[in-house]
Amino acid sequence: MSISAAFFAQAQDISVIRNTVDIYSNAPNIGSAKFNAMAGSNGALGGDANSLLTNPAGLGVAISGEVSGTLSLTSNKNTSSLAGASTGYTINKGDLGNLGAVMTFQLMTETPWKFINIGVNYSNQFIDNYIETPGNSNLIYDFDATNSSSFGRHAYDRYGYLSKTSIGVGANYNNNLYLGAGLNFFNSSIDQSDTAIFNSLSNGSAEYFSKQSTPYYEKGNGFSASLGVIGKLSPNFRVGAALETPTFWNIDRSYNFYNDAVYGDDYAVENRKLTSPLKATISAAFIASKSFSLNVDYTLGLTKPKYKVYGDAETELNDFFKDNYKNLSEVKIGAEYRIKQFRLRGGYSYASSPFDALTVNRYADNGVASEQSYSNLILNDRNALSFGLGYDFKSFYIDASYQNITSKYSNPLLYGVVDSNYEAGYYSPNNLISSDAYAVSDVKNIRNNFFLTFGWKF
């Protein structure tokens, strides 16, 4: 059971909380078309460079060298609904999503050690996300006795990328036990804005507002390490386990600020250090024959995101995650069926909601504020369904896959208190919006992704 908690991150932009979880802590990886078709489930199967995304012991399973490259076409659509109206927006992108290579070294000795293999994997994805919420004419803000405006529109706009480069080594002991270790290097770039439009009741003109400390830009790099093991219980059953350390992020950021007593409207730069959750994965695989294999992975976050404290902002973020963040869990199931040289693949994954129930003061459709509890505020659980095809030309192969990811969540916006403790409102050159309640829209997110992999085995 989750206990409703008051939402107290008073001075933070919602996008900071969302990006901490969605990008820096739990972003799904883009692998090869095979990896994606099987929902990223390969923890006890292994055999290629994408093992570094789940369990590096899978490198030890490989018996031949391999190089592959994957093209990705991604589509991200958000539909945000408020007060009976909806706005949808789709972002389409194409890029090189994954590169992987495994080099195998067979040990010609009398010892039980059969192979020592080295793997390299590069995963890259756009993280563009645009959430536009329609207005509500019942939400009216009075600047003074003769100047009032109604809420016209709001938008969270994020664009950038996230990449992960992994190198690792895997060993094969007597074809029954596989061990592996990997190092992971992350790079990220985030441009984020939080804007609102209010329409004058006197002349209908639109006035644009930006949330305090936005837009902001972040450039980050991170490091983590992973260890893994796979054991054969029988020719048909394998189990695996892996542990990935927290990712230690170093983030340089710049942001705009408004209405400062000394500097007025200007921008500032700062550095933040974030430690993402420690993660553990357990896996099981069933291999009926050379024609069919099934793998199940379960991943659990063992810790919570934590910022190094430099001031009140990091303290507030840490307190919020300490009280409201749930350790993320994810289940991934993937299967492959081979018909001679053809490959048929499918998969499903489910990632749980990262937050407990949260209670906020929010505006109803009629403009009246009252407390409301949400079980899906900011982010929610995520479902992914995928399938794919492949054809093996012996030395060369080609794989294709499709992935559908869906999530529904409640999207808080417009909150920003300006008082003696906080300067967190929405600002325009001429006016200020200070609100102690949220407008909350319903967002439906649908991602349709296509992947095409070309590979060579040697």
Side-chain angles (χ1 to χ4, degrees), residues 5 37 75 103 114 239 245 376 384:
S75 176
M103 294 163 284
K114 304 299 183 181
V239 293
T245 71
N376 62 346

Side-chain angles (χ1 to χ4, degrees), residues 162-424:
L162 174 68
S163 69
K164 179 180 180 180
T165 303
S166 304
I167 58 174
V169 59
N172 176 338
Y173 183 82
N174 204 32
N175 294 319
N176 286 314
L177 181 66
Y178 307 91
L179 305 173
L183 301 176
N184 309 299
F185 304 91
F186 298 81
N187 287 281
S188 67
S189 176
I190 296 176
D191 274 282
Q192 178 76 56
S193 64
D194 178 346
T195 57
I197 293 177
F198 278 75
N199 300 317
S200 172
L201 296 183
S202 60
N203 57 28
S205 62
E207 189 169 7
Y208 291 78
F209 293 79
S210 290
K211 180 76 162 64
Q212 178 69 270
S213 302
T214 71
Y216 63 83
Y217 170 73
E218 294 183 344
K219 187 80 170 179
N221 59 81
F223 168 80
S224 72
S226 54
L227 295 171
V229 60
I230 296 174
K232 271 188 182 180
L233 302 182
S234 72
N236 301 110
F237 290 96
R238 299 180 192 173
V239 293
L243 189 69
E244 183 176 354
T245 71
T247 301
F248 301 96
W249 284 98
N250 182 62
I251 304 168
D252 291 317
R253 69 193 312 264
S254 61
Y255 60 93
N256 286 41
F257 63 83
Y258 310 95
N259 202 39
D260 184 83
V262 177
Y263 301 102
D265 297 349
D266 207 340
Y267 76 96
V269 297
E270 65 181 11
N271 176 267
R272 279 182 174 170
K273 288 180 169 56
L274 169 67
T275 302
S276 75
L278 168 71
K279 299 177 184 178
T281 300
I282 56 174
S283 309
F286 171 67
I287 304 171
S289 64
K290 292 185 178 180
S291 297
F292 178 77
S293 61
L294 174 70
N295 188 91
V296 179
D297 292 340
Y298 175 72
T299 300
L300 178 65
L302 303 179
T303 58
K304 300 182 178 185
K306 186 176 183 179
Y307 283 92
K308 183 176 180 180
V309 175
Y310 292 105
D312 292 341
E314 292 83 13
T315 298
E316 187 179 75
L317 285 166
N318 289 341
D319 288 342
F320 172 78
F321 290 123
K322 179 181 178 181
D323 292 341
N324 303 299
Y325 181 84
K326 292 192 300 186
N327 290 346
L328 185 81
S329 62
E330 184 174 12
V331 177
K332 298 181 289 185
I333 303 172
E336 179 182 66
Y337 183 70
R338 299 183 179 187
I339 308 173
K340 294 183 178 180
Q341 292 170 283
F342 285 96
R343 311 286 187 259
L344 302 176
R345 304 180 180 110
Y348 170 78
S349 71
Y350 170 81
S352 65
S353 173
F355 298 118
D356 290 319
L358 294 165
T359 299
V360 299
N361 192 32
R362 67 93 172 94
Y363 296 109
D365 291 348
N366 61 7
V368 178
S370 62
E371 285 197 349
Q372 177 69 43
S373 181
Y374 294 90
S375 62
N376 62 346
L377 198 69
I378 306 176
L379 290 168
N380 197 17
D381 53 9
R382 184 178 66 236
N383 291 273
L385 185 66
S386 55
F387 63 86
L389 301 170
Y391 190 85
D392 193 340
F393 298 91
K394 294 185 178 179
S395 293
F396 295 91
Y397 63 88
I398 182 171
D399 296 322
S401 65
Y402 163 75
Q403 184 182 64
N404 174 261
I405 305 173
T406 59
S407 183
K408 295 180 180 180
Y409 58 90
S410 297
N411 178 45
L413 49 107
L414 282 187
Y415 180 96
V417 174
V418 179
D419 58 25
S420 59
N421 297 316
Y422 299 105
E423 185 81 31

Side-chain angles (χ1 to χ4, degrees), residues 55-104:
N55 184 346
L59 294 175
V61 178
I63 58 174
S64 63
E66 182 179 343
V67 176
S68 70
T70 301
L71 301 176
S72 65
L73 298 174
T74 60
S75 176
N76 182 17
K77 181 179 181 179
N78 285 307
T79 302
S80 183
S81 303
L82 181 69
S86 297
T87 301
Y89 193 88
T90 303
I91 300 174
N92 299 312
K93 292 282 188 177
D95 196 18
L96 178 65
N98 186 268
L99 290 172
V102 174
M103 294 163 284
T104 60

